[in-house]
Amino acid sequence: MKLTHLRIQNFRACREITLEIGDMHALVGANNAGKSTMLLALDFLFNPSTKSLNGESFWNNNTTLEIRVEAVFSDLMPKEKETLKPYLKPDGTFHIARNARMGSKGDGTDLDTEEAEEKTGIVIGQYYEKPIPTLAWLQEGKINKENIERWWEYKNYLTAGGVSFADFLNGTKPSAIEWRQKAKDFLEANIDKIPTQDVWENISRRNVLKETLPFFVLVPAVRDVTEESKGTKSSPFGKLLQAILNGITCEKKTKIEGMLDEITKQMNRSNGGERIPLIASTEKELSELLSDFFSGCDLEIEFETPTLEFLLSSPKIYVNDGFRNVVENKGHGLQRAVIFTILRYYAKNMISKSEGKRNLILAVEEPEIYMHPQAQRTIRRVFRSIAEGGDQVIFSTHSSLFVDVANFDEIIRMEAVYEERDGKRTNKCTAWQLPMSKMIEDLVARNPNLKGKVTAESMRDLYSNAYNPRRNEGFFASKIILVEGLTEEYSLPIYADVLPECAFDPQGISVVECGGKGAMDRLFRIFNELHIPCYILFDYDNGSKEENNIKKSKELLALAGKPEDVSQSLRVEDSIACFPTTWESHLRTEIPDMDTLTAEARKYLGIDNSDSGKPLIAQYIARKITSQNPSFVPESLKIIIEKAVAVSWTGSCLKRQANMGITEK
């Protein structure tokens, strides 16, 4: 089965968020934005424990609230469908909820132990959602002798969707038991005609979820390899060892057990074998000494008989990277690599390969920790292979190497929203996603001739050339300035650093170069739909012989909702700015001695007189004139930077097919 929808309420920093879940997701956002909250909410859903909850687990520390995590599962395997048959919706999906309350025990509790309840005062419940008919005479809980007498007086009005229930009963008043059965048959026969409403019922079978739900593993940022390498029945490594045991042939087991029995005979007296002399003599001497205190007592030393199961539950993992040692004593980077290796093998060989195995949901907090860039890329490929193998991966990250513009629908951007409540500052996290369906709808709305031709794969191909770790940095920004190339990327931050309250890094602002105007609109759509405020800066290229340059300039202005007219001067708006011709041409009129500074930069950098090295020259000039006393910033750039720093998110830029040409707000 696959997790497809998630709703979290009143848990830690989360007041309420609803998410669509796919095969793989990257949680991005600033510190304290709610990334860990979401992973811990998933852990509560799959591994509920009062030991992991306390008063601070409730949103805003308000223990009068109810923590609630709801989930929808689809694509159930036949065995799962059979086990969960009483709990499934008509469409075959499984809707469940876990809740936690502070206070008295109620229905549907699923506590670890009574002792845990006494210590925490928290009670956990488990529920499933099912549709019931809105008509009282079809609701099982209301069918009784008294109600049947009343309903039968008006039997001609017992209709649903134009179908008579009285006719279904052949005009004979049934008993309560018969009515309940007939009501079920009537519902099944007329399922599309009878109005229903969804209600939550408690799951009375305590372990039905534990035995059926996907196997969930959370790897926290600070977790070492010890937990994953234990041979316990609940750990991935322990399950691997159990599988090894189950795979040993009967002949081999008999041979190994015979060897273990021979060892036991040499250790213990009761088996009648020839014991190790030192054990026998030590035992005899101890018995003689004991007889000085209690005559007639015989002291016997007995060793626990080793079993194959015991041996397989207590291994240690050693790693030899030039120095052989247990993995727990290795560096954190190697430890995490071993964790991912175990989980990767488990996902590949133990879960999704057969009908009887459960799916894996792997949740990892900051997988990039302790890993160099090449290892980070490898881990991301490992995550991708796990997801493509039929399992699911959700991870939080601060690394641009773990996200990809082409996989924008895998991004879940978490954001902290602070507000005043009753004189106190509270934190409420929100989450933003961009489903593939919305981007396809927008593209078709702008290009009707593509209807029926656009697929998820073709959309990814459209965005794949925009992949770049520097561009991916935008996913982690509080605001973004989209620029055409490296010239602006290199120099804009230098100018911003010397302007009051405009430095980019302290405010989480990123300058993202787009490799020209061609990809600017695509990147803008992605970042904007994830609710990241974006400012667009480009060259209008007025007078250019390349018609496509002018066309793209007009498209960008239209995207920002601005007039597309040719501008003869610098154009600066609240969300977009453009130079009438080019950056270099315009700044030449504002920077004194531009030619002298350019020549100086070429000589310093060892660049010839061609057009090569323009970004480095612009960077050199920016450093030179801002290091003067007083610092100098061209007036145009000053205005642009101040506008960019103040940019705010104003709404969606996507179009709907049914509302073509109108921007959705």
Side-chain angles (χ1 to χ4, degrees):
M1 68 172 69
K2 289 289 190 71
L3 175 64
T4 57
H5 290 84
L6 184 70
R7 184 185 185 196
I8 306 169
Q9 293 177 295
N10 303 320
F11 183 64
R12 291 165 61 96
C14 176
R15 187 69 169 101
E16 180 171 358
I17 59 173
T18 302
L19 298 165
E20 295 181 18
I21 305 297
D23 292 338
M24 181 163 145
H25 287 290
L27 305 177
V28 303
N31 292 329
N32 299 316
K35 301 185 296 297
S36 295
T37 291
M38 180 178 165
L39 295 179
L40 290 172
L42 283 168
D43 193 40
F44 170 70
L45 175 72
F46 291 99
N47 305 305
S49 171
T50 56
K51 298 174 185 177
S52 63
L53 301 175
N54 55 41
E56 294 183 356
S57 301
F58 294 80
W59 181 75
N60 202 28
N61 295 331
N62 186 350
T63 55
T64 65
L65 299 173
E66 174 190 275
I67 293 174
R68 189 175 182 88
V69 181
E70 299 176 8
V72 176
F73 296 91
S74 62
D75 300 328
L76 276 68
M77 294 185 291
K79 183 179 180 181
E80 294 166 340
K81 290 179 181 179
E82 182 63 29
T83 302
L84 298 173
K85 186 176 180 180
Y87 310 106
L88 300 183
K89 284 201 165 186
D91 62 359
T93 60
F94 181 41
H95 297 221
I96 69 163
R98 298 274 195 188
N99 76 333
R101 293 174 178 267
M102 185 75 76
S104 60
K105 195 170 183 177
D107 291 335
T109 55
D110 189 26
L111 288 170
D112 298 317
T113 63
E114 291 183 4
E115 181 183 1
E117 178 189 359
E118 291 174 2
K119 288 182 178 180
T120 64
I122 296 174
V123 179
I124 295 175
Q126 57 184 23
Y127 305 87
Y128 74 103
E129 188 181 50
K130 69 173 185 178
I132 64 169
T134 58
L135 302 168
W137 47 273
L138 288 175
Q139 295 177 15
E140 184 176 359
K142 294 183 179 180
I143 299 173
N144 54 50
K145 183 178 180 180
E146 181 180 348
N147 284 337
I148 289 174
E149 291 292 336
R150 181 166 52 85
W151 292 333
W152 198 249
E153 292 181 16
Y154 305 95
K155 59 179 179 294
N156 292 333
Y157 295 96
L158 302 179
T159 61
V163 181
S164 170
F165 184 58
D167 292 345
F168 192 79
L169 296 172
N170 296 320
T172 304
K173 184 175 71 172
S175 66
I177 294 176
E178 292 170 335
W179 190 295
R180 291 190 188 98
Q181 184 57 51
K182 287 293 185 179
K184 290 181 180 178
D185 296 341
F186 186 77
L187 282 168
E188 290 180 4
N190 303 280
I191 191 169
D192 297 330
K193 300 176 182 178
I194 299 173
T196 61
Q197 61 184 8
D198 289 329
V199 298
W200 289 96
E201 299 280 353
N202 74 77
I203 299 177
S204 56
R205 284 180 58 190
R206 181 182 178 91
N207 292 322
V208 66
L209 298 185
K210 185 180 296 185
E211 296 167 352
T212 314
L213 292 181
F215 183 60
F216 179 83
V217 177
L218 173 62
V219 182
V222 295
R223 186 169 182 166
D224 62 30
V225 75
T226 306
E227 290 299 316
E228 305 306 329
S229 61
K230 282 182 178 178
T232 60
K233 291 183 178 180
S234 60
S235 73
F237 188 56
K239 290 178 182 291
L240 294 181
L241 297 176
Q242 187 63 41
I244 293 173
L245 176 62
N246 295 336
I248 296 176
T249 64
C250 292
E251 181 182 355
K252 193 69 173 177
K253 277 185 181 179
T254 301
K255 184 176 181 180
I256 294 174
E257 287 168 354
M259 295 168 64
L260 294 174
D261 186 55
E262 182 61 31
I263 294 173
T264 302
K265 289 179 180 179
Q266 295 186 41
M267 302 288 288
N268 295 334
R269 185 198 307 178
S270 58
N271 289 286
E274 183 179 345
R275 300 178 76 191
I276 296 174
L278 185 58
I279 295 177
S281 62
T282 300
E283 183 182 271
K284 180 180 179 180
E285 187 173 347
L286 287 172
S287 293
E288 291 173 352
L289 292 173
L290 179 62
S291 65
D292 291 342
F293 299 95
F294 294 94
S295 62
C297 287
D298 181 31
L299 185 147
E300 180 181 349
I301 300 173
E302 183 171 310
F303 295 87
E304 182 178 353
T305 302
T307 63
L308 184 57
E309 290 84 351
F310 174 77
L311 292 176
L312 281 173
S313 68
S314 57
K316 284 187 174 293
I317 296 178
Y318 283 80
V319 176
N320 189 342
D321 56 352
F323 175 68
R324 185 178 182 273
N325 203 343
V326 289
V327 69
E328 294 96 315
N329 293 336
K330 294 296 183 179
H332 290 294
L334 182 52
Q335 287 191 31
R336 284 175 74 82
V338 170
I339 290 174
F340 297 141
T341 298
I342 292 172
L343 293 172
R344 183 184 184 185
Y345 183 90
Y346 183 76
K348 179 181 178 182
N349 296 285
M350 300 300 299
I351 299 180
S352 304
K353 291 298 181 183
S354 66
E355 185 63 38
K357 301 297 183 181
R358 295 154 62 191
N359 284 85
L360 168 72
I361 298 180
L362 173 60
V364 184
E365 194 171 30
E366 300 179 33
E368 69 271 16
I369 290 180
Y370 310 120
M371 297 295 180
H372 53 75
Q374 293 84 352
Q376 290 183 36
R377 287 193 288 270
T378 299
I379 292 171
R380 188 174 185 277
R381 286 195 293 271
V382 169
F383 287 174
R384 175 68 61 197
S385 67
I386 291 175
E388 290 177 350
D391 298 302
Q392 294 174 282
V393 181
I394 303 173
F395 59 93
S396 65
T397 183
H398 292 279
S399 171
S400 59
L401 296 176
F402 274 89
V403 293
D404 185 346
V405 169
N407 295 101
F408 55 81
D409 53 327
E410 295 178 351
I411 302 291
I412 297 177
R413 180 173 172 265
M414 309 294 293
E415 184 178 10
V417 178
Y418 295 94
E419 57 184 29
E420 293 289 333
R421 293 176 63 91
D422 302 324
K424 295 182 179 180
R425 191 169 185 252
T426 62
N427 176 12
K428 180 176 67 175
C429 69
T430 57
W432 309 109
Q433 291 180 276
L434 178 55
M436 178 64 73
S437 58
K438 291 186 69 173
M439 289 293 281
I440 292 176
E441 184 180 33
D442 170 76
L443 182 59
V444 173
R446 291 182 287 110
N447 303 275
N449 60 307
L450 295 178
K451 188 174 182 179
K453 301 177 182 178
V454 184
T455 64
E457 290 71 23
S458 64
M459 284 294 291
R460 295 200 198 286
D461 288 341
L462 183 63
Y463 281 86
S464 60
N465 67 329
Y467 173 81
N468 184 306
R470 294 198 309 277
R471 293 171 190 161
N472 293 341
E473 183 183 315
F475 289 117
F476 305 91
S478 61
K479 297 180 180 181
I480 298 172
I481 305 174
L482 293 171
V483 298
E484 286 193 53
L486 296 176
T487 294
E488 299 92 330
E489 182 187 21
Y490 286 3
S491 53
L492 267 182
I494 298 172
Y495 292 115
D497 281 342
V498 300
L499 294 175
E501 300 181 1
C502 286
F504 294 155
D505 286 344
Q507 301 180 74
I509 299 173
S510 289
V511 179
V512 175
E513 67 87 19
C514 303
K517 282 199 286 277
M520 289 185 98
D521 61 330
R522 280 174 281 165
L523 292 174
F524 176 80
R525 286 187 178 90
I526 289 177
F527 293 136
N528 184 75
E529 296 312 304
L530 290 171
H531 285 235
I532 308 174
C534 295
Y535 196 88
I536 302 175
L537 173 62
F538 65 99
D539 298 337
Y540 194 94
D541 290 313
N542 189 18
S544 172
K545 296 180 181 179
E546 295 290 335
E547 293 184 5
N548 193 52
N549 284 341
I550 303 298
K551 180 183 177 183
K552 290 301 298 184
S553 296
K554 291 182 177 181
E555 288 177 359
L556 290 173
L557 289 167
L559 182 63
K562 306 300 179 184
E564 303 172 23
D565 302 337
V566 176
S567 178
Q568 301 300 323
S569 60
L570 177 69
R571 187 170 182 173
V572 181
E573 308 272 359
D574 289 340
S575 60
I576 194 167
C578 64
F579 295 102
T581 52
T582 64
W583 163 288
E584 292 83 7
S585 298
H586 186 84
L587 291 187
R588 188 175 296 277
T589 65
E590 295 189 21
I591 298 177
D593 302 321
M594 181 75 157
D595 291 338
T596 302
L597 288 170
T598 300
E600 184 181 311
R602 289 186 183 281
K603 181 178 180 181
Y604 176 78
L605 297 167
I607 298 173
D608 60 26
N609 291 323
S610 67
D611 287 336
S612 64
K614 287 198 299 183
L616 293 175
I617 292 171
Q619 182 184 62
Y620 176 90
I621 293 173
R623 287 175 176 166
K624 189 78 171 181
I625 63 179
T626 57
S627 62
Q628 298 173 178
N629 191 12
S631 296
F632 175 74
V633 177
E635 189 63 24
S636 295
L637 297 185
K638 180 180 178 182
I639 297 171
I640 290 170
I641 290 171
E642 289 174 347
K643 286 285 189 182
V645 169
V647 70
S648 60
W649 192 82
T650 57
S652 172
C653 66
L654 301 186
K655 299 179 186 293
R656 293 179 175 176
Q657 294 182 55
N659 206 19
M660 296 181 58
I662 299 177
T663 302
E664 180 192 58
K665 292 294 184 183

